[in-house]
Amino acid sequence: MKVKKAVFPVAGLGTRFLPATKAMAKEMLPVVDKPIIQYAVEEAYEAGIEHIIFVTGRGKKALEDHFDRSFELELTLKDKKKDDLLEMVQKLVPETGTIIYTRQNQPLGLGHAIWCARDIIGDEPFAVLLADDMIQTQGESVLARMVNKFDRLRASVAAVMEVEKDQTDKYGILDADHTEDRLYRINDMIEKPHPDQAPSNLAIIGRYILTPRIFEYLGRKTKGAGGEIQLTDAMKMLLKEQPIFGYQFRGRRFDCGDKAGFQMANLAFAMERPDIRERLLKFIQEIKSEA
Ligand code: UTP
């Protein structure tokens, strides 16, 4: 079965970004000129996803409006003959009926947010993208590569990367065996272990392809690290009956839920834009010489 649906959990409180996230999901913050969520949605389409499922909390309105038509804006752009901008805003709107919103009525954790999409997913494999993990790649996106792996392995796949040993308490960490180029077979995983207890420095990053069996374990609503219902804990249970693989992606990852990570993402993605790159480089030189 093909992976056609993707879940985007966007119901977190985003406390590290207050006050910006008081009335708006952090996924609506822009990197250069696009909301973070749009990068992830574009990545999903590129990977062949046909149905987008947003699990929202606060800030639902801005997100819904972003992916909907704005007749007033379109009319104004048309009148002003700004055809390229008109085309850009029109392209943002998915075909009606392919985008679904559901609400997580309490931010009980990432695992709970995904569980909220269970009826919409039904009995098929699906992708999960945490938009605040932005990954800059050359060529094919991380999710597209993961879909290929899933098609071959017919098993759940999580994106992984190596992190500094003293950073393990920020991630879900793997105990895994290297099987082939960039692929690990997971034996066990642990959420946010202290560096002394971490079985490796391989950390799960916000891209997953999961089999629907995961809902059985998410539905148990076991509270884990931080008192939250964690996806990692459900995956750990799933491991007892199904294999799960870790795919070590190539690319530069930014944690946009973190202030420094967010600024770095802005800089890195701005460098890809010929219209602003030179001005920024000049400015960086200027502040570097002042530092
Ligand atoms: P984070 O761990 O970054 O939490 O969530 P957060 O609440 O968004 O941010 P901080 O730590 O308070 O600053 C990881 C992802 O899971 C989603 C978030 O929206 C983000 O995409 N999430 C988290 C939910 O949808 N619901 C939750 O209950 C928790």
Side-chain angles (χ1 to χ4, degrees):
M1 214 175 195
K2 286 268 175 209
V3 185
K4 291 199 192 119
K5 294 178 180 170
V7 176
F8 295 79
V10 288
L13 291 177
T15 52
R16 285 170 291 166
F17 256 103
L18 282 167
T21 49
K22 184 164 176 262
M24 183 182 78
K26 73 175 161 195
E27 289 80 2
M28 283 303 292
L29 293 170
V31 164
V32 190
D33 53 7
K34 273 200 274 190
I36 290 172
I37 189 71
Q38 195 185 323
Y39 289 88
V41 167
E42 286 170 359
E43 181 179 341
Y45 283 133
E46 191 208 311
I49 298 296
E50 293 171 11
H51 302 274
I52 300 288
I53 298 127
F54 288 118
V55 181
T56 63
R58 295 160 317 141
K60 175 180 141 94
K61 195 171 179 312
L63 199 115
E64 270 194 6
D65 287 348
H66 187 72
F67 292 103
D68 198 1
R69 294 197 69 174
S70 167
F71 290 104
E72 201 187 314
L73 176 65
E74 286 181 33
L75 219 71
T76 311
L77 293 174
K78 210 169 168 178
D79 281 351
K80 297 198 165 173
K81 306 220 176 327
K82 301 204 167 178
D83 295 342
D84 45 347
L85 289 179
L86 178 65
E87 196 192 323
M88 184 224 280
V89 296
Q90 283 175 336
K91 257 175 63 183
L92 257 174
V93 184
E95 194 187 335
T96 191
T98 60
I99 190 160
I100 301 158
Y101 297 87
T102 188
R103 197 116 182 179
Q104 183 190 24
N105 55 17
Q106 262 185 297
L108 297 179
L110 172 62
H112 181 257
I114 296 167
W115 180 74
C116 292
R118 67 200 179 282
D119 284 356
I120 304 165
I121 298 295
D123 195 23
E124 53 183 284
F126 63 102
V128 175
L129 291 95
L130 306 190
D132 52 356
D133 269 335
M134 288 188 73
I135 307 170
Q136 200 176 31
T137 50
Q138 306 286 335
E140 232 185 352
S141 72
V142 175
L143 193 72
R145 288 173 200 265
M146 288 172 69
V147 167
N148 289 338
K149 304 266 178 254
F150 175 84
D151 287 343
R152 181 160 59 86
L153 301 162
R154 312 307 300 166
S156 299
V157 187
V160 301
M161 71 174 213
E162 285 181 344
V163 296
E164 296 293 331
K165 193 77 189 151
D166 63 355
Q167 297 289 303
T168 57
D169 56 357
K170 295 195 172 80
Y171 300 91
I173 299 289
L174 303 187
D175 167 352
D177 293 322
H178 190 219
T179 55
E180 58 182 87
D181 185 36
R182 305 206 152 256
L183 209 62
Y184 290 82
R185 184 165 175 149
I186 303 177
N187 304 315
D188 200 2
M189 49 181 83
I190 166 163
E191 185 63 30
K192 302 189 172 65
H194 185 273
D196 295 340
Q197 262 107 52
S200 74
N201 65 338
L202 274 179
I204 302 184
I205 300 304
R207 302 285 182 280
Y208 308 81
I209 294 178
L210 297 166
T211 61
R213 187 74 187 145
I214 194 76
F215 292 121
E216 164 68 25
Y217 299 107
L218 289 173
R220 296 186 187 176
K221 300 189 190 157
T222 320
K223 283 194 180 157
E228 294 193 347
I229 300 168
Q230 299 283 0
L231 174 61
T232 313
D233 295 335
M235 287 172 75
K236 204 176 149 86
M237 291 188 258
L238 181 65
L239 263 179
K240 297 208 169 89
E241 59 168 300
Q242 290 182 0
I244 306 180
F245 291 86
Y247 166 60
Q248 191 179 4
F249 61 87
R250 262 184 245 269
R252 195 184 266 152
R253 174 258 183 181
F254 301 94
D255 176 6
C256 288
D258 167 80
K259 288 187 192 83
F262 175 71
Q263 301 305 335
M264 289 178 211
N266 266 287
L267 200 54
F269 282 86
M271 288 299 152
E272 290 184 344
R273 305 284 183 91
D275 54 331
I276 47 179
R277 181 186 160 89
E278 291 310 317
R279 274 166 64 201
L280 272 177
L281 280 171
K282 206 169 149 223
F283 179 65
I284 293 166
Q285 287 302 335
E286 211 176 290
I287 46 175
K288 243 176 92 183
S289 62
E290 283 166 17

